Amino acid sequence: MTTSLHADRRQRLRRLLRTSGVDGFLVTNPANVTYLSAFTGDSSYLLLTAHDAVMLSDGRYTQQLSEECPELPVQLRSTGSDMLAVVARAVRTTKIGSLAIEAASTNVAFWVELEKQLPMLELVLGPPLVEQLREIKDRHEIAQIKAAIELAERAFAVVRAGLRRASTEQHIAAELEYQIRLFGGRGCSFTPIVAAGPRSALPHARLSARQIGESDFVLIDWGACGDLYVSDLTRILVIGRISPKFERIYDVVLQAQQAAIDAIRPGAILEDIDAAARRIIEAAGFGERFTHAVGHGIGLEIHEQPRVAPGQRGALKPGMVVTVEPGIYLPRWGGIRIEDDVLVTRTGCEVLTKVPKQLADCVVR
């Protein structure tokens, strides 16, 4: 990505800042810093004012800062000092009267100490302005998400081809990570969920040494980190027999997912997308066994805005990328979840993930 792209993002943030009535904004969430500057290190902040922006970091990143965001001035903390000291020094230099700090990534101790060091400065809990900008992906971001999806799908194809009944949940997760890295990714976008049989009733099951051959099916929820952006998919693989109960529940979940996807278009209300899937699951008698929202945004992080969930009154806009992942979870039997990544287009939507999901496609021969 070009520096002009990041400069444009910073300018859009400034326009949002003007409506909030504060003079400056301290960006502390690492993903937000990357979004606004292209810097990919950690332990670094971005201080933005009406006319200037400065990176606040330390000496470990001197060369990386010059390579990734050469147009931005840098203030480094000295060895032995902390980030609070460099923040206070930088804010004094700007001579601003008020400063918003990202509320979601600021701790109370930092806030209290900064108030002590800058008693004349008005501190404000900053709203999620950068997250608001990040909801709409530009063409560069969409291309990177597609690349992360391709990494995940290629890794899954290799892992599926090598599955054995003796394969354990832990082994499958490790192999996904390994294959993603072999194909050029940075690794999994989160610790994969690999849950066989009854353990798949846990939506976020921890990995175990259980062999998948001990059950008739296994749930695999995984994703890849590409250059910066991520993907998130879930599929069920059938190892043993397909029981009538399994077939019925799988069909309900697949219908629910398709109903939600069909409802995705610009202007659609987020909670209505969730409701489209939830109605089908409730009509089948499994409403209480669908225990999470239908989906969430993805991008630089695996969970970001918007949330596709009950009570979310916001509307979909072109450029948003969301997961659609309804599920049914029955204790002591198992769970079925199907998840795809979907781009909101100007006229409707595009399902970006291509791993087949019809029941016949899920049977491991």
Side-chain angles (χ1 to χ4, degrees), residues 8-27:
D8 177 68
R9 291 173 179 173
R10 295 192 294 271
Q11 197 57 34
R12 284 188 283 136
L13 178 57
R14 288 189 179 97
R15 288 196 288 269
L16 293 177
L17 269 181
R18 284 197 288 269
T19 65
S20 67
V22 295
D23 302 327
F25 197 76
L26 184 65
V27 182

Side-chain angles (χ1 to χ4, degrees), residues 338-351:
I338 305 169
E339 178 182 19
D340 287 294
D341 303 334
V342 182
L343 168 68
V344 183
T345 65
R346 294 187 181 278
T347 58
C349 70
E350 177 188 355
V351 179

Side-chain angles (χ1 to χ4, degrees), residues 227-247:
D227 182 15
L228 289 174
Y229 286 75
V230 304
S231 55
D232 189 4
L233 303 85
T234 305
R235 290 293 186 267
I236 301 290
L237 293 180
V238 179
I239 311 301
R241 74 183 188 93
I242 300 176
S243 69
K245 182 176 182 178
F246 178 92
E247 187 170 7

Side-chain angles (χ1 to χ4, degrees), residues 177-210:
E177 174 85 22
Y178 177 63
Q179 292 299 329
I180 287 169
R181 290 182 181 276
L182 280 184
F183 285 122
R186 292 187 294 124
C188 290
S189 49
F190 56 93
T191 301
I193 299 166
V194 183
R199 299 195 69 258
S200 58
L202 302 168
H204 277 193
R206 296 178 62 186
L207 296 169
S208 79
R210 184 185 180 95

Side-chain angles (χ1 to χ4, degrees), residues 12 17 25 49 53 62 71 79 84 154 178 181 183 185 229 236 255-256 269 272 280 296-297 299 358:
R12 284 188 283 136
L17 269 181
F25 197 76
T49 64
T62 302
E71 81 285 6
T79 303
L84 190 107
R154 293 175 70 187
Y178 177 63
R181 290 182 181 276
F183 285 122
Y229 286 75
I236 301 290
Q255 286 185 48
I269 303 303
D272 292 344
I280 289 175
H296 55 84
Q358 295 301 315

Side-chain angles (χ1 to χ4, degrees), residues 9-29 31-33 35-36 48 99-105 124-136 305:
R9 291 173 179 173
R10 295 192 294 271
Q11 197 57 34
R12 284 188 283 136
L13 178 57
R14 288 189 179 97
R15 288 196 288 269
L16 293 177
L17 269 181
R18 284 197 288 269
T19 65
S20 67
V22 295
D23 302 327
F25 197 76
L26 184 65
V27 182
T28 55
N29 179 330
N32 289 345
V33 172
Y35 180 78
L36 295 168
L48 189 86
L99 176 69
I101 305 178
E102 289 190 305
S105 55
V124 178
L125 286 174
L129 298 180
V130 187
E131 286 84 353
Q132 181 180 328
L133 293 175
R134 284 170 52 195
E135 286 187 11
I136 310 298
Q305 295 300 319

Side-chain angles (χ1 to χ4, degrees), residues 63-134:
Q63 181 174 338
Q64 187 174 340
L65 286 159
S66 67
E67 292 174 353
E68 294 183 340
C69 46
E71 81 285 6
L72 286 175
V74 176
Q75 290 194 31
L76 302 177
R77 65 178 175 87
S78 58
T79 303
S81 66
D82 56 19
M83 279 299 292
L84 190 107
V86 73
V87 169
R89 184 174 75 241
V91 171
R92 290 191 192 99
T93 302
T94 65
K95 299 181 180 179
I96 58 177
S98 58
L99 176 69
I101 305 178
E102 289 190 305
S105 55
T106 302
N107 61 54
V108 174
F110 181 90
W111 180 281
V112 170
E113 189 58 34
L114 194 60
E115 278 188 319
K116 290 179 182 178
Q117 295 203 24
L118 300 170
M120 303 303 291
L121 180 72
E122 178 190 4
L123 292 182
V124 178
L125 286 174
L129 298 180
V130 187
E131 286 84 353
Q132 181 180 328
L133 293 175
R134 284 170 52 195

